[in-house]
Amino acid sequence: FPWALFQIFIIYYLVQWFSNRFLSRKGELTLFLIVILASTLISRSPLAETKTGLLFSSFHTFYYLQYFFFGVLARKYIDLFQRFITNQAVISILLVLFVGLYIFVDYEPALWKHILRQVEKYSGMLLVFALFVSYSSFFSSRTDIGRSLIFIGRRTLEIYLLHYFFLASLPQVGFYFMDNPSNFTLMILFVFILSIIIIGFCLLTIY
């Protein structure tokens, strides 16, 4: 994971340099969207399974690259992004997409199903973002929850670098949720508790 993260930073700085030097604001947005689309396709292509692909950890690099660039885009165009994500029609569409794809798309390795699962993941991610934006006063620095999230947020790089070493190998749990995809509430609860434990270990390591 640290190797993949290092490559993500290199790719980002190269793309950002090219964008600043040669592209307009609209061109930069287009380039970032192309990188996001290309990275999700490359992560599932046969190239990721070649010797060179394995050497450079291509699957992990390009799989996480898309989310990194998506986050950068959201930060660059935060005002536009917030207006988009708090639109009630957009929230309704995202909710239908997320629930529908979660229920009806299985985990077969076909590329088109992988793309649909990516749409599902982006829909869920945007819904979480919409929740934080819509209830921003609840998560502000004036509340305990807000201060806790700010404390963790300012240490995300350290957590990114360390969390991989605290991930437990729980294949049976993964197989259970794949065989029982309807247990959505139980899945969310399990992931939330596991995330809190891993973040706690990371913060203890830092301090």
Side-chain angles (χ1 to χ4, degrees):
F1 183 79
W3 175 225
L5 186 61
F6 174 72
Q7 294 177 86
I8 288 172
F9 282 138
I10 291 177
I11 295 171
Y12 167 70
Y13 283 120
L14 289 174
V15 171
Q16 189 64 68
W17 173 84
F18 179 84
S19 174
N20 291 339
R21 190 173 180 85
F22 299 107
L23 299 178
S24 63
R25 183 182 176 95
K26 185 176 180 180
E28 178 189 58
L29 176 61
T30 303
L31 177 61
F32 272 49
L33 291 175
I34 290 173
V35 171
I36 290 171
L37 177 60
S39 61
T40 187
L41 295 176
I42 292 173
S43 69
R44 289 292 177 177
S45 73
L47 294 174
E49 301 300 324
T50 63
K51 289 184 178 181
T52 304
L54 295 172
L55 175 64
F56 288 96
S57 190
S58 297
F59 170 75
H60 292 96
T61 299
F62 287 101
Y63 181 78
Y64 294 117
L65 179 71
Q66 58 183 308
Y67 299 111
F68 184 90
F69 270 77
F70 189 83
V72 171
L73 269 185
R75 184 69 183 87
K76 279 178 173 287
Y77 303 97
I78 188 66
D79 293 334
L80 177 63
F81 196 71
Q82 286 183 347
R83 288 198 301 272
F84 171 78
I85 204 64
T86 53
N87 183 289
Q88 292 302 312
V90 171
I91 292 176
S92 300
I93 293 171
L94 289 173
L95 187 59
V96 170
L97 277 174
F98 179 71
V99 174
L101 292 173
Y102 178 80
I103 293 174
F104 295 110
V105 177
D106 56 32
Y107 283 82
E108 292 181 8
L111 179 61
W112 69 273
K113 288 190 177 182
H114 167 67
I115 294 173
L116 288 178
R117 287 196 298 274
Q118 289 303 108
V119 173
E120 172 199 332
K121 292 173 184 177
Y122 276 104
S123 300
M125 183 170 60
L126 290 172
L127 285 171
V128 172
F129 190 89
L131 175 68
F132 277 90
V133 173
S134 300
Y135 296 94
S136 56
S137 60
F138 183 73
F139 299 107
S140 72
S141 58
R142 295 187 297 272
T143 65
D144 291 337
I145 292 179
R147 285 191 291 271
S148 298
L149 291 175
I150 291 172
F151 176 81
I152 294 173
R154 289 174 176 169
R155 292 155 182 83
T156 50
L157 179 58
E158 293 94 330
I159 293 172
Y160 281 147
L161 292 172
L162 290 171
H163 86 281
Y164 187 80
F165 301 104
F166 296 107
L167 291 176
S169 179
L170 302 170
Q172 297 305 321
V173 175
F175 292 144
Y176 173 80
F177 284 126
M178 289 177 66
D179 294 335
N180 301 274
S182 59
N183 291 330
F184 183 71
T185 304
L186 179 61
M187 184 187 301
I188 292 295
L189 180 63
F190 176 81
V191 170
F192 176 77
I193 294 174
L194 185 61
S195 299
I196 293 298
I197 293 172
I198 291 174
I199 290 172
F201 275 117
C202 290
L203 293 175
L204 286 173
T205 303
I206 295 170
Y207 294 100

